Amino acid sequence: TGWTARKDRPDRPRPPGRPSCPDPAIRRTTAGTVADRPVALLFSGGLDSCAAAILLATDHRPVHLLTFDHGHGHLFLGASRKTAGDLERAFPGAMVHRVISCKALFRRLVTGDLAANYRRYRSRFIWCFGCKLAMHAETIAYCLRHGIDLASDGSSLETRYYVEQSDVGLSLIEGLYADFGVRFTKPVH
């Protein structure tokens, strides 16, 4: 059975056969060849980031799967390692997995002023957005160190109720990447 257009996104049909990345900026550049331009992907090992990795791997090599450890309750490091290993076996030579500490930046952005910011803004999203901001900042630094000009994450329409995956949040994140000359895309959004 082939892929069909999603009901909520009919502008993004999926052809029969292999899936194609829906973002035209990261599609195959030449019919039948894989672009030699690498891409960095914020990788949790969950369904959305796995789908993003697979879509990106059809068009880019290597896909740098970046998993972040902020040191506060990240229970999924082992699961992301396992899933990354599964992807590395399924796409030999296409995936590179890294676990990167963002503890210091996370502490600086979030935990240092958490109580004061919670009293001021009355939002639990301070933690989530600060965590995501630390991961994106570390991804930008990784891209700059490795000469990568394209980064992605697994943000999806189904999780847009999270502030960091809302249209406003993603627009701000895209602008942050652009400030450093890195393009940001969301292949499963």
Side-chain angles (χ1 to χ4, degrees):
T1 64
W3 290 33
T4 58
R6 290 174 42 182
K7 291 178 187 173
D8 60 332
R9 298 298 294 265
D11 59 316
R12 294 193 176 176
R14 304 240 166 76
R18 76 161 183 84
S20 177
C21 189
D23 189 326
I26 56 177
R27 282 194 193 122
R28 289 181 182 270
T29 56
T30 310
T33 63
V34 175
D36 60 2
R37 191 169 72 156
V39 60
L41 172 66
L42 281 81
F43 184 75
S44 68
L47 182 61
D48 293 333
S49 65
C50 283
I54 291 167
L55 288 170
L56 291 166
T58 62
D59 300 322
H60 286 275
R61 300 288 165 95
V63 178
H64 293 252
L65 306 172
L66 307 181
T67 301
F68 294 93
D69 178 6
H70 58 66
H72 294 276
H74 196 286
L75 303 174
F76 304 106
L77 289 174
S80 72
R81 284 186 181 107
K82 181 193 177 307
T83 304
D86 292 343
L87 287 170
E88 288 169 332
R89 284 185 291 284
F91 295 87
M95 307 283 179
V96 176
H97 185 233
R98 301 282 183 260
V99 176
I100 299 170
S101 174
C102 64
K103 293 175 186 176
L105 184 55
F106 180 77
R107 272 194 300 274
R108 187 170 174 203
L109 290 172
V110 180
T111 59
D113 297 325
L114 184 63
N117 284 334
Y118 181 75
R119 280 191 299 278
R120 181 176 178 188
Y121 299 109
R122 295 284 184 212
S123 175
R124 292 183 187 102
F125 288 117
I126 294 166
W127 184 273
C128 297
F129 197 76
C131 178
K132 198 71 158 192
L133 183 58
M135 291 186 293
H136 283 291
E138 292 290 350
T139 299
I140 291 168
Y142 183 92
C143 287
L144 296 175
R145 281 193 309 271
H146 291 87
I148 299 171
D149 65 359
L150 182 64
S152 296
D153 76 358
S155 295
S156 74
L157 291 172
E158 288 74 26
T159 55
R160 66 178 173 254
Y161 50 85
Y162 292 121
V163 67
E164 73 276 7
Q165 294 186 40
S166 68
D167 290 339
V168 170
L170 289 171
S171 175
L172 292 170
I173 289 167
E174 287 174 12
L176 178 64
Y177 278 88
D179 287 347
F180 291 91
V182 178
R183 211 170 91 53
F184 179 74
T185 187
K186 308 158 300 285
V188 296
H189 196 268

